[in-house]
Amino acid sequence: MEQTLTISIQDYLKNIYELTENGESASTNALASKLNVKPASVTGMMQKLASAKPALVEYQKHQGVTLTDDGKKAALEVIRHHRLLEAWLVQTLGYSWDEVHAEAEKLEHVISEDFERRIAAAMGHPLRDPHGELIPTADLQMPLDDSTPLSSLRASQSGIIQYVKTADSELLKHFETLGLIPEAELEVTGYSPFDHNLTIKIGRKSIVLGLNITSKIYVKES
Amino acid sequence: MEQTLTISIQDYLKNIYELTENGESASTNALASKLNVKPASVTGMMQKLASAKPALVEYQKHQGVTLTDDGKKAALEVIRHHRLLEAWLVQTLGYSWDEVHAEAEKLEHVISEDFERRIAAAMGHPLRDPHGELIPTADLQMPLDDSTPLSSLRASQSGIIQYVKTADSELLKHFETLGLIPEAELEVTGYSPFDHNLTIKIGRKSIVLGLNITSKIYVKES
DNA sequence: AAATAAATTTAGTCAAGACTAAATTTAAAG
DNA sequence: CTTTAAATTTAGTCTTGACTAAATTTATTT
């Protein structure tokens, strides 16, 4: 018999947030499989969260759930913790991108607001975590994302690299040798509609990049 | 009605460890008041821990508890986490001695062995935490304490300050201005049996210290 | 529109770990 | 050696958050 470990309310809220970022409501089933819990358990928890003193979710039978403002605040708080922790573990303890997630997952629930402030300040209040995800602000707003995949740019458009989204460290190293790192400025000089290849000029080099690369590099148009 | 928050097994073990450091067994009542739990709850938990697959405590009705070797290992693991965390929070995030305890208390239960190794290495494997408490070794042994209160030295004996044990930051500042800081070397030049005052020579200065001070400064005889 | 499939909820069970009140054991005092 | 007090344990209750199985609702097909 599998030991059934208990899921925190914070985890419920965080996962509802993620499932509802697209504007839709989260289904009982989706939440259940995301949290490795049976659907019936989710129903029970949703009923509880919906009737909490300040309600944390909006819940109607068979209609899925969304977060209330209070629920969203709580979710963003955990997400802020998580992403600040990831950034900080990478910066100060040399964690790699793949190792850092599990550790942050555990720490995010227990750190104090004071701890949060200290690491945020120590890093100069970063905007993104090491995976490139936006970090909710101290007043619990999710910042607007002003970046777009490089693959969406066309000839004559230029941009500044914001972050690189990949879990493949080999690929990451390749990006670095090409100069494709945050802050770098580039200009698109050509576009091939057939295979979606882009020709870009970065520094004094001109290179051709496939969609497998340009879809992982996020830029801010300039 | 007070919300009754649950105490982790690790906390039970850690507190049993502390209560049994003197060699005696821990009483149900002592544990209960230390953990802010009712005695009956402690009895129940002790019965559980005693009959766990590898037993964690030695427990006989009405006789108090002690830790088994497995239990002691688990306790030292948490204590190591706690003390490494305190040292690390102070060193890297500027926590003060009084702020650091509560934060470490929460983190100690969730950090990975990997995290433990990383911070230990980052600090050069410290022997003591910021309060001067010994940090259990990586293989879960409590190091021998080779330090003694300065108040136990007598004329012509000399020593090196190991740590200062006080929660009073004013007093701590006073110590610092006197040069009474870790690593400092001193020699006892006089002793007054009536009031237990010591005259010591530190650097080129000679000063007289009362028991309120000499009992808080721990030295290694040299 | 009826039938079937899929998703969700209800109802009731279980384990953990706290609690209270009552019973029991040990310790202390006369 | 009794008696009383203090400490501890037993017994049974409560809450939480999982689970399963059955019932119900919604969605899809023919």
Side-chain angles (χ1 to χ4, degrees):
Chain A
M1 183 181 298
E2 297 297 317
Q3 56 154 354
T4 168
L5 67 117
T6 215
I7 315 269
S8 72
I9 289 177
Q10 291 186 335
D11 274 324
Y12 271 101
L13 296 174
K14 185 175 74 161
N15 282 281
I16 294 169
Y17 182 91
E18 289 169 4
L19 288 175
T20 55
E21 274 186 295
N22 54 20
E24 315 224 321
S25 69
S27 76
T28 300
N29 261 0
L31 249 184
S33 73
K34 203 158 182 296
L35 292 167
N36 285 306
V37 145
K38 297 290 181 274
S41 306
V42 171
T43 299
M45 184 56 79
M46 292 310 101
Q47 290 168 341
K48 181 192 161 186
L49 296 183
S51 56
K53 305 286 285 261
L56 296 169
V57 303
E58 189 76 48
Y59 172 69
Q60 296 285 84
K61 275 188 190 183
H62 301 281
Q63 308 268 119
V65 278
T66 41
L67 294 173
T68 62
D69 284 354
D70 285 314
K72 189 174 296 186
K73 284 269 177 73
L76 287 172
E77 179 80 52
V78 192
I79 294 172
R80 176 171 164 83
H81 285 182
H82 182 91
R83 295 182 180 173
L84 281 174
L85 281 164
E86 287 200 337
W88 190 62
L89 292 171
V90 165
Q91 280 186 30
T92 71
L93 290 176
Y95 272 82
S96 66
W97 290 5
D98 29 308
E99 298 167 318
V100 86
H101 181 78
E103 195 80 51
E105 195 81 11
K106 292 182 297 179
L107 295 173
E108 67 188 12
H109 303 296
V110 303
I111 66 174
S112 68
E113 291 309 285
D114 187 35
F115 185 96
E116 175 199 312
R117 275 191 293 274
R118 284 174 196 262
I119 63 176
M123 295 185 290
H125 305 282
L127 200 63
R128 294 178 185 276
D129 74 11
H131 302 292
E133 303 290 344
L134 287 165
I135 299 174
T137 59
D139 62 336
L140 304 180
Q141 304 287 136
M142 184 62 87
L144 294 177
D145 193 348
D146 57 0
S147 68
T148 178
L150 174 52
S151 56
S152 71
L153 295 201
R154 293 295 172 265
S156 94
Q157 293 185 292
S158 48
I160 296 171
I161 296 182
Q162 300 293 298
Y163 63 98
V164 176
K165 192 164 203 155
T166 178
D168 179 342
S169 62
E170 281 308 308
L171 185 58
L172 182 64
K173 245 173 271 170
H174 180 53
F175 285 173
E176 283 170 355
T177 66
L178 292 176
L180 297 172
I181 57 175
E183 303 297 309
E185 191 158 4
L186 54 81
E187 186 187 347
V188 176
T189 55
Y191 171 63
S192 159
F194 176 64
D195 52 14
H196 300 287
N197 282 354
L198 286 183
T199 309
I200 67 167
K201 209 176 63 173
I202 180 165
R204 57 177 55 73
K205 286 176 302 186
S206 190
I207 51 185
V208 180
L209 303 175
L211 196 55
N212 66 323
I213 287 185
T214 57
S215 65
K216 297 187 173 72
I217 308 248
Y218 285 73
V219 302
K220 183 163 72 173
E221 226 191 304
S222 63
Chain B
M1 184 181 297
E2 298 295 317
Q3 53 153 0
T4 167
L5 67 117
T6 216
I7 315 268
S8 71
I9 289 177
Q10 291 187 333
D11 274 324
Y12 271 100
L13 296 174
K14 184 174 72 160
N15 283 279
I16 294 170
Y17 182 90
E18 289 168 6
L19 289 175
T20 56
E21 273 187 294
N22 54 20
E24 315 224 321
S25 69
S27 76
T28 300
N29 260 1
L31 249 184
S33 73
K34 204 157 182 293
L35 292 167
N36 284 306
V37 145
K38 297 290 180 271
S41 307
V42 170
T43 298
M45 182 58 78
M46 292 311 99
Q47 289 168 343
K48 181 191 162 186
L49 296 182
S51 56
K53 307 284 288 254
L56 297 168
V57 302
E58 190 77 48
Y59 172 70
Q60 296 285 86
K61 278 188 187 183
H62 299 281
Q63 309 266 119
V65 279
T66 42
L67 295 173
T68 62
D69 283 354
D70 285 315
K72 190 174 294 183
K73 282 271 177 74
L76 287 171
E77 179 80 53
V78 192
I79 293 172
R80 176 169 164 84
H81 285 182
H82 182 91
R83 294 181 181 174
L84 281 174
L85 280 164
E86 286 199 338
W88 190 63
L89 291 171
V90 166
Q91 279 187 30
T92 72
L93 290 175
Y95 273 81
S96 66
W97 289 7
D98 32 307
E99 298 167 318
V100 86
H101 181 78
E103 196 79 52
E105 195 81 11
K106 292 183 297 180
L107 294 173
E108 66 189 13
H109 303 296
V110 302
I111 67 174
S112 67
E113 291 309 285
D114 187 36
F115 186 96
E116 175 198 312
R117 274 191 294 273
R118 283 174 196 262
I119 63 175
M123 294 185 292
H125 305 283
L127 200 64
R128 294 179 184 273
D129 74 11
H131 302 292
E133 303 291 345
L134 287 166
I135 299 174
T137 59
D139 63 335
L140 304 179
Q141 304 287 138
M142 184 62 88
L144 294 178
D145 193 349
D146 57 359
S147 67
T148 178
L150 174 52
S151 56
S152 71
L153 295 201
R154 293 295 173 265
S156 93
Q157 291 185 292
S158 48
I160 296 171
I161 296 182
Q162 299 294 296
Y163 63 97
V164 176
K165 193 163 201 154
T166 177
D168 180 341
S169 61
E170 281 308 308
L171 185 57
L172 182 63
K173 243 173 272 170
H174 179 54
F175 286 172
E176 283 169 357
T177 66
L178 293 176
L180 297 171
I181 58 175
E183 303 298 307
E185 191 159 4
L186 55 79
E187 185 186 348
V188 176
T189 55
Y191 172 63
S192 158
F194 177 63
D195 52 15
H196 300 286
N197 283 353
L198 285 184
T199 310
I200 68 167
K201 207 176 66 173
I202 180 165
R204 57 177 55 73
K205 287 175 302 184
S206 190
I207 52 186
V208 180
L209 303 174
L211 196 55
N212 64 324
I213 287 185
T214 57
S215 65
K216 298 188 172 72
I217 308 248
Y218 285 74
V219 302
K220 182 162 71 174
E221 226 190 304
S222 62

